[in-house]
Amino acid sequence: MKVFVPEEIGFCFGVRRALQLVEDELRKGGRIYSLGDLIHNPQVVEELRRKGIKTVGELSQIREGTVIIRSHGVNPSLIEEARERGLKVVDTTCPYVLKAQRTANLLVQNSYAVVVVGLREHPEVQGIIGNAQSGKIYVIKNSQEVEKLPFMKKVGVVVQTTETLDNFEDIVKNLIKKTEECRVFNTICKVIMRRRALVRELARKVEAMVVVGGRNSANTRQLVEMCRSIGVDTYFIERKEDLKLKELKGIERIGIIGGTSTPEQTIKEIRDELLSLDQSHNSFKINIHHS
Amino acid sequence: MKVFVPEEIGFCFGVRRALQLVEDELRKGGRIYSLGDLIHNPQVVEELRRKGIKTVGELSQIREGTVIIRSHGVNPSLIEEARERGLKVVDTTCPYVLKAQRTANLLVQNSYAVVVVGLREHPEVQGIIGNAQSGKIYVIKNSQEVEKLPFMKKVGVVVQTTETLDNFEDIVKNLIKKTEECRVFNTICKVIMRRRALVRELARKVEAMVVVGGRNSANTRQLVEMCRSIGVDTYFIERKEDLKLKELKGIERIGIIGGTSTPEQTIKEIRDELLSLDQSHNSFKINIHHS
């Protein structure tokens, strides 16, 4: 069996940064709370819990100590409220998410209606909306939904960082006829764009793909969908233990990839597990360059 | 034979306005020159010539009197030069064209690269370019050409007023991945958009379409292309005399339409000519509403 693992796997810099900030805080001691799961990976969240980070759903559950704002960002009013209540705030909002938030805010300040492309219920979209509260804001997830929008003289568009370029492009294409001025900000995460291009290329070279990551991770789920749409056998797992080794026997060429909140270590464990399947094992690092 | 003529035919308000300004000038007397044909309709230009309007290709050909800037607009430096040379300037630039010009200028002032969607050699595009001289400007005519563009952090897009929405949308869709911010101004003429929607509907109801207008009129040529792509027999003529009546005998339902620089009178003459073909003649005005 030949196992292909891209050079660039594991956490994106936004997730690495968030975890680093949390580790720094852990060293300082005190009670530390995460407002929602820090990242969309149950195993990492469980490890943080063991280290003393407690996940809470509401700010009201925290009486004292430090509150971690996760990389997806939040409504800025929440940060204000936490500070007013005397809590220490460690804000790990991803710089790409922050840019989408600030752009939405700037658009509202300049009298643009704002269209957010993404899923209304996703915490990142909720944070973007929170940053543009005083304006007209529409969240849409596909180009069919554009039809429901009114005519807007000036509209600005931002996009959830994990959105696919294809869907974003289709939405903008359909939005143009509904506006005089349409100001489009491509806030899709560059790391995710690159990883998708890499996975697209890898999936075409192999018989099967193992995609590793949290079931609740938007960007991991999209990698799974992409692989399946290419037509390659695709296994979506969270941990090494989820591997169905029997099903994989006899496969000659297999690829492994993770989402941006999947630890590199998990990928490597899975690679080793696959390599243990037969004696003529081989692992290849592949590096695919994309702009 | 049933002949269908839309309610809204003839000149658009930009062309009507240009002709009115020229008529006003004619009443005042003096030598009057048009810098290029006033509109893209040889018959109208010929009539203006008989009234005393001389068409010249270059400003240097005019020694004294009035120079008419046609509805397509020009490079603003030309207007300046004309005034410096002591000529009276009557500027009939269409308000829609003026908006595209001013937008391109504003974009350059705000450090945007500018993409003009349209035909480089068209006078309107030349005028837009002239209004954005100090900046980075790219003229592209289709989405394939987007591939040749460099990555641009901030790009603004304006579009030739006679461009089709489909082509414009495809270009913007492809441009998005090449930019961080893409500020799109839909400067396509609303009259032309409405007329296209009307012709699309009419062409599906009839056996043949007669499209009337100058061979050099971009918006008339597009109506012809649209009818042909719908699959209806389409006759592209400039004047009543171009009608091949023999070919049209036996047709039960026929539609007539003109471009925005085609006189209503020409359409009516053609209608009457068609109605003379048989005794059971009938003419229908149709009115199709589109937003």
Side-chain angles (χ1 to χ4, degrees), chain A residues 65-122:
Chain A
T66 301
V67 57
I68 307 283
I69 304 300
R70 58 186 176 173
S71 52
H72 308 107
V74 292
N75 191 321
S77 66
L78 260 181
I79 296 182
E80 216 171 299
E81 191 190 332
R83 290 206 170 111
E84 275 170 12
R85 294 187 48 207
L87 301 174
K88 180 179 175 186
V89 176
V90 173
D91 186 356
T92 78
T93 306
C94 165
Y96 283 135
V97 173
L98 212 57
K99 198 175 173 193
Q101 286 184 357
R102 286 186 180 148
T103 302
N105 185 275
L106 197 84
L107 285 166
V108 167
Q109 301 303 322
N110 286 282
S111 311
Y112 287 82
V114 176
V115 168
V116 185
V117 175
L119 298 174
R120 176 173 288 280
E121 59 277 13
H122 195 282

Side-chain angles (χ1 to χ4, degrees), chain B residues 124-154:
Chain B
E124 186 189 320
V125 172
Q126 286 296 317
I128 294 171
I129 294 173
N131 272 272
Q133 262 169 338
S134 61
K136 277 201 176 158
I137 303 154
Y138 305 92
V139 180
I140 58 168
K141 65 173 190 287
N142 57 42
S143 57
Q144 288 82 55
E145 289 189 352
V146 175
E147 304 309 319
K148 294 187 284 182
L149 296 176
F151 181 88
M152 294 167 283
K153 215 170 146 70
K154 287 169 66 177

Side-chain angles (χ1 to χ4, degrees), chain A residues 3 5-7 9 212 240 256 262-275 283 285:
Chain A
V3 180
V5 182
E7 282 273 5
I9 47 169
V212 190
K240 184 182 73 175
I256 317 178
T262 307
E264 198 172 333
Q265 185 53 33
T266 312
I267 306 275
K268 287 184 174 164
E269 285 169 17
I270 291 164
R271 179 198 58 194
D272 294 341
E273 190 81 1
L274 285 174
L275 291 175
S283 163
K285 277 205 173 178

Side-chain angles (χ1 to χ4, degrees), chain A residues 21 209 213:
Chain A
L21 287 166
M209 284 292 292

